[in-house]
Amino acid sequence: MKRYIYVLFMFITLNLWACSDSEPSTDGGGEEVVDKTTDCQSANEKGAYTTWYKPANGWVGDPIPYYDNGKFYIFYLQDWRSGYPFLHPWHMVYSTDLSSFTFGGETIPCGKEDEQDVALGTGGVIKDRTTGEYCAFYTGHQWKWQEMGVPTQAILLTTSKDMKTWTKKGEHNFYLSLRGQSGYVENDCRDPHVFYDEEDGLYKMVVTTHTDAGATLALFTSKELQNAKAWTLQEPLYTDPNIWVMECADVFKEGEYWYLTYSDVADRKVHYRYAKSLKGPWTKPANDIFDGIAFYAGKTMSNGTERYLAGWCPTRIGDGDEDQWGGSLVCHRMLFNADGTIDLKLPDGIDKKFTTLKKTVLIDKSGKAVKKEDSYVLSDVASVSFPRLDKTCKIEATVKATGNDDAFGFAFGACDDKTEVYSIRFDLKNKQLVMSKDDLTRGTTPTQTNVALTVPADKLFKVKIVAEKSVCVMYVNDKIAFSNRIDKMPKNPWAIFTDKGTEISFSDIKVYE
């Protein structure tokens, strides 16, 4: 009899907890119906993404961001994953606040089989200070280079007067390569980035290549933007003997510092350096990496007051498989510190996009989980689950840790018995954010990817997560961004959790659509 009364008491308590743990819907549509089921479901990933942009057909490759006259333009390599030898024509989308995008069409088509640009690579866009034309410098890749007697890669040019109609200058009017340049791997000449140096009064172009010194960013200078013969090769801007190649490089100035960003094909991460002069010396910060391995080919754009970093979050063939090339567009806001270091935060346009507050009803819990006013206190191996993520949404939460070795986080795909979820875990002992496949009933398993975590003295973490289909991007304390592709996330419940020996408070948990 006592056992029956106890079970009944626990049943009533849990249900009262769940009923009280809800927020009224603010969309004016009446009482919100909440799905409290916990069975695993599979989502349909077909079609376009709107926030973390992906076209309805194909995927986003290397972004080439550019800002002009109130609009953010994102040119990118359209990845059809078919069509060889015609690969990666340039497509473009534009936005006023990066929260959604309008398709601007194909800007640079692939050339013919006997032309240098039968396949295209990334580059950069700049406005000609003399003519006012928009100039898109890009990589042309020719597969039959030996047969044709040309370099594998060369720099070509396309121009436009209105950002709508683009005209190729043609190989006879603009063609720049490293052929015949001593010390350079002449077939490795790609990813041009062009900027104007106010101090020298010169256009400058950095090009990805390789020398005996290692990965190299070659430097060309010119006073005439569209005259290939006027571009002169200078001493390299930067070399790194420890890596093979620096892809998708970007160079810009913010405040008193020059910044250099690039993607390392070996570790699949975006890095940065900074210096007081383009001649160096270049400083490598203690944490020189933006985001994790699910954010690549990052390049920047500025509207004059704010600068943004645009990259792609890769797709995956299946669980545990290597990331594919190309995926969805992800944009971070960059914050520049007085010491030259850079933090990342959620762009305001995306942050303000989500306005409908959804119910955060408890649908399941395990272990030591206690509800205290607007907080959940979890201890040891414990978890609390919330309803399915059916639509693109923003999750907000404040997390207070207590110990230096605490481990806790957010789990996605928290369905069925929660023995196979994908978690983003705060590992305070090792000062890192970790994405891994976990069993919430037993603890964590080996890391799949991670980023460095700055742990404040008060161990307080303000968290924002924007989830669209399988793309999950977390921001912590307006300092850290962590992107991941989690195929099990859409259409399934999510959870908060703690690991062994931990007591954590999760408060102000909100979900907005």
Side-chain angles (χ1 to χ4, degrees):
M1 184 67 181
K2 290 182 179 179
R3 181 179 179 183
Y4 171 79
I5 294 172
Y6 174 77
V7 171
L8 180 63
F9 171 77
M10 292 301 295
F11 175 79
I12 294 171
T13 300
L14 179 59
N15 278 274
L16 286 173
W17 185 14
C19 291
S20 65
D21 180 40
S22 62
E23 297 286 350
S25 174
T26 60
D27 59 8
E31 183 67 21
E32 179 185 346
V33 178
V34 177
D35 182 355
K36 296 182 181 181
T37 60
T38 60
D39 57 301
C40 288
Q41 296 183 10
S42 298
N44 183 354
E45 278 285 296
K46 293 181 180 180
Y49 287 45
T50 56
T51 304
W52 307 130
Y53 174 79
K54 187 195 88 69
N57 297 302
W59 292 263
V60 173
D62 301 349
I64 304 100
Y66 180 74
Y67 179 86
D68 184 67
N69 196 28
K71 290 182 180 178
F72 297 97
Y73 295 88
I74 309 289
F75 301 81
Y76 63 91
L77 303 186
Q78 170 69 13
D79 184 22
W80 295 114
R81 296 185 182 168
S82 64
Y84 175 87
F86 306 101
L87 297 181
H88 303 146
W90 278 34
H91 285 195
M92 182 263 284
V93 293
Y94 59 88
S95 175
T96 57
D97 63 2
L98 302 177
S99 69
S100 62
F101 296 87
T102 301
F103 184 59
E106 182 178 78
T107 56
I108 310 179
C110 295
K112 299 177 182 178
E113 285 195 63
D114 61 351
E115 293 179 326
Q116 180 69 49
D117 58 353
V118 62
L120 306 187
T122 193
V125 176
I126 187 173
K127 183 179 285 188
D128 191 317
R129 298 166 72 94
T130 301
T131 69
E133 292 179 291
Y134 300 101
C135 297
F137 293 86
Y138 66 100
T139 306
H141 185 101
Q142 175 51 248
W143 308 105
K144 300 179 181 179
W145 59 276
Q146 288 178 306
E147 177 183 328
M148 295 176 57
V150 299
T152 307
Q153 298 166 340
I155 310 305
L156 305 174
L157 173 63
T158 292
T159 63
S160 174
K161 294 181 179 180
D162 58 6
M163 274 286 183
K164 297 177 181 178
T165 302
W166 293 81
T167 304
K168 289 184 179 181
K169 299 292 285 186
E171 298 174 24
H172 298 295
N173 296 314
F174 194 97
Y175 189 96
L176 192 63
S177 77
L178 289 170
R179 172 156 284 194
Q181 299 292 346
S182 178
Y184 289 87
V185 177
E186 63 178 31
N187 283 327
D188 193 359
C189 177
R190 59 188 175 95
D191 304 0
H193 174 75
V194 183
F195 61 100
Y196 187 76
D197 186 348
E198 297 279 358
E199 297 176 5
D200 292 348
L202 293 171
Y203 292 103
K204 296 184 176 181
M205 179 192 297
V206 291
V207 174
T208 293
T209 186
H210 196 86
T211 64
D212 291 339
T216 300
L217 293 177
L219 176 65
F220 291 87
T221 61
S222 176
K223 288 189 175 182
E224 301 176 59
L225 183 64
Q226 300 186 50
N227 183 358
K229 295 181 179 179
W231 286 94
T232 304
L233 184 64
Q234 308 292 344
E235 288 296 311
L237 178 77
Y238 186 71
T239 59
D240 189 333
N242 299 311
I243 61 176
W244 173 252
V245 66
M246 293 179 280
E247 297 189 302
C248 306
D250 193 348
V251 179
F252 59 90
K253 191 173 186 181
E254 283 285 343
E256 61 179 311
Y257 291 105
W258 282 96
Y259 289 89
L260 162 65
T261 69
Y262 65 88
S263 294
D264 182 353
V265 71
D267 68 9
R268 307 303 297 172
K269 294 181 180 179
V270 183
H271 300 253
Y272 78 98
R273 304 285 186 269
Y274 60 94
K276 291 291 185 69
S277 167
L278 281 174
K279 296 180 180 178
W282 293 92
T283 298
K284 177 181 178 180
N287 176 27
D288 73 318
I289 297 171
F290 296 124
D291 211 322
I293 62 171
F295 180 87
Y296 196 70
K299 294 191 68 171
T300 78
M301 58 184 166
S302 174
N303 62 5
T305 57
E306 300 165 351
R307 187 169 289 273
Y308 298 87
L309 179 68
W312 48 258
C313 178
T315 57
R316 281 184 175 152
I317 301 171
D319 178 45
D321 291 337
E322 291 184 5
D323 295 327
Q324 293 175 299
W325 189 92
S328 299
L329 174 70
V330 172
C331 295
H332 303 313
R333 167 94 179 270
M334 306 175 80
L335 301 178
F336 296 86
N337 301 311
D339 63 355
T341 58
I342 301 174
D343 296 328
L344 300 177
K345 65 168 289 188
L346 177 65
D348 291 342
I350 301 176
D351 199 6
K352 296 174 182 178
K353 176 180 181 177
F354 303 96
T355 58
T356 301
L357 182 63
K358 308 301 289 184
K359 288 183 177 180
T360 52
V361 178
L362 176 144
I363 61 172
D364 188 29
K365 78 180 187 76
S366 64
K368 299 177 182 178
V370 179
K371 182 76 162 55
K372 294 182 179 180
E373 297 181 351
D374 67 341
S375 301
Y376 295 93
V377 178
L378 277 63
S379 304
D380 293 320
V381 179
S383 67
V384 172
S385 299
F386 301 103
R388 301 177 187 276
L389 299 178
D390 288 324
K391 298 179 181 179
T392 302
C393 66
K394 179 182 68 171
I395 300 170
E396 293 184 354
T398 299
V399 188
K400 182 69 168 72
T402 54
N404 294 327
D405 296 339
D406 285 354
F408 55 90
F410 299 79
F412 301 94
C415 47
D416 288 347
D417 58 4
K418 294 187 289 187
T419 57
E420 183 182 287
V421 304
Y422 291 84
S423 69
I424 299 177
R425 175 164 36 96
F426 289 66
D427 178 355
L428 269 55
K429 181 178 181 179
N430 296 302
K431 293 182 172 58
Q432 59 183 2
L433 282 176
V434 176
M435 198 283 276
S436 59
K437 183 193 292 186
D438 293 336
D439 177 348
L440 289 189
T441 67
R442 300 179 62 183
T444 57
T445 55
T447 300
Q448 290 192 359
T449 180
N450 65 282
V451 295
L453 173 66
T454 301
V455 180
D458 61 3
K459 299 182 181 65
L460 190 68
F461 301 92
K462 298 283 188 177
V463 179
K464 294 180 180 181
I465 301 169
V466 176
E468 181 172 18
K469 296 187 178 180
S470 59
V471 175
C472 176
V473 186
M474 175 184 283
Y475 297 88
V476 180
N477 289 341
D478 287 344
K479 295 182 72 67
I480 300 159
F482 192 27
S483 303
N484 284 285
R485 175 79 65 172
I486 304 176
D487 293 334
K488 199 175 179 180
M489 177 174 67
K491 302 296 182 183
N492 286 313
W494 64 282
I496 55 176
F497 71 92
T498 50
D499 211 342
K500 297 176 182 178
T502 297
E503 182 172 295
I504 302 295
S505 171
F506 293 82
S507 62
D508 299 320
I509 299 174
K510 293 180 173 64
V511 178
Y512 295 91
E513 291 181 352

